[in-house]
């Protein structure tokens, strides 16, 4: 399985520095939750890890090799990227949408091999979409489309899965189910990196935590030791309480006083 690393990564856009000298390692078998306030640089970091943007300085490596030296096709076979607020503007069926996750692995000619078709069926079932597989993707609710996009990444069987807010728009049942799926991938030895705003989910499911603030690393380490009330106050400028009881971990923020 693959690992990622960033070294002194800097990204500037429109005169603004979105990432400022970020260095971090993401080992295989980890579920890394990337947290931070709006504008901290989370989405930019994930896009850089996926090889979708070129940094202004520093580099991203996969297994010690610069992403710039890995061909697009080879990279697409090894990593999957789940964007924030996914969209589908073509009225293809949900089943066809999920099958797009297999594109980097498809043979040049012929139909879909039986083994790959089975992966599509498993992904549909895993994301509670079997009953919707014939429905046009453009008719799905926001949460259903988010699940379909997650199923698309699962069908591709990636070594690395990079997800930007994978639980956004999901009801509690499907949010928890999605986190369980991502956790299972990490336990199989794959690398999962996900930007999360729900810190309770981060506390319960991630193995490691990367906190960003103003484009810089505020903290990086095992979630159990790193996700503290002090870190949250520094990162979000709000007082917080972290209660840890295994899978029932809870993160509470204290509302600021009315002005």
């Amino acid at each position: 399985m693959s690992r990622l690393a960033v070294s002194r990564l800097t990204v500037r856009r429109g005169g603004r520095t979105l990432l400022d000298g970020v260095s971090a390692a993401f080992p295989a078998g980890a579920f890394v939750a990337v947290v931070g306030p709006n504008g901290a640089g989370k989405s930019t970091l994930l896009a850089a890890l996926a090889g979708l943007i070129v940094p202004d300085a520093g580099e991203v490596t996969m297994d010690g090799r610069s992403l710039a030296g890995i061909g697009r096709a080879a990279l697409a076979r090894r990593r999957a990227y789940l964007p924030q607020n996914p969209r589908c503007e073509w009225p293809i069926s949900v089943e066809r949408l999920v099958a797009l996750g297999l594109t980097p692995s498809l043979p040049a000619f012929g139909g879909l091999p039986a083994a790959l078709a089975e992966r599509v069926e498993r992904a549909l079932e895993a994301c509670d979409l079997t009953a919707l597989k014939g429905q046009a993707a453009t008719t799905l609710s926001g949460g259903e489309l988010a699940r379909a996009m997650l199923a698309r990444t699962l069908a591709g069987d990636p070594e690395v899965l990079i997800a930007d807010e994978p639980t956004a728009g999901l009801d509690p049942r499907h949010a928890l189910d999605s986190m369980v799926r991502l956790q299972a991938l990490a336990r199989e030895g794959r690398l999962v990196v996900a930007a999360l705003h729900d810190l309770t989910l981060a506390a319960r499911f991630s193995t490691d935590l990367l906190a960003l603030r103003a484009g810089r690393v505020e903290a990086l380490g095992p979630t159990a030791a790193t996700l503290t009330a002090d870190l949250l106050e520094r990162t979000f400028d709000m007082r917080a309480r972290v209660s840890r009881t295994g899978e029932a971990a809870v993160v509470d923020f204290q509302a600021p006083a009315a002005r």
Side-chain angles (χ1 to χ4, degrees), residues 2-6 24-28 49-50 60-63 67 160 162 191 193:
S2 296
R3 67 186 188 279
L4 292 172
V6 294
F26 305 87
L49 288 173
V60 182
T61 60
M62 176 179 281
D63 298 331
L67 288 191
V160 176
I162 300 167
L191 168 61
V193 184

Side-chain angles (χ1 to χ4, degrees), residues 13-14 29 32 77 127 134 148 150 198-199 216 234:
R13 294 291 186 271
V32 184
R77 284 192 294 270
C127 295
L150 176 58
D198 190 324
L199 298 180
R216 297 182 179 180
R234 297 198 317 269

Side-chain angles (χ1 to χ4, degrees), residues 73 76-78 99-108 111-113 116 119 155-158:
R77 284 192 294 270
R78 297 176 65 183
L100 290 176
L102 299 170
T103 301
S105 304
L106 291 177
L112 188 65
L116 295 184
R119 278 162 54 177
D157 197 26

Side-chain angles (χ1 to χ4, degrees), residues 231-244:
L231 170 69
L232 295 176
E233 185 167 0
R234 297 198 317 269
T235 304
F236 294 95
D237 293 323
M238 291 184 67
R239 294 181 61 186
R241 180 176 61 189
V242 182
S243 304
R244 290 191 178 87

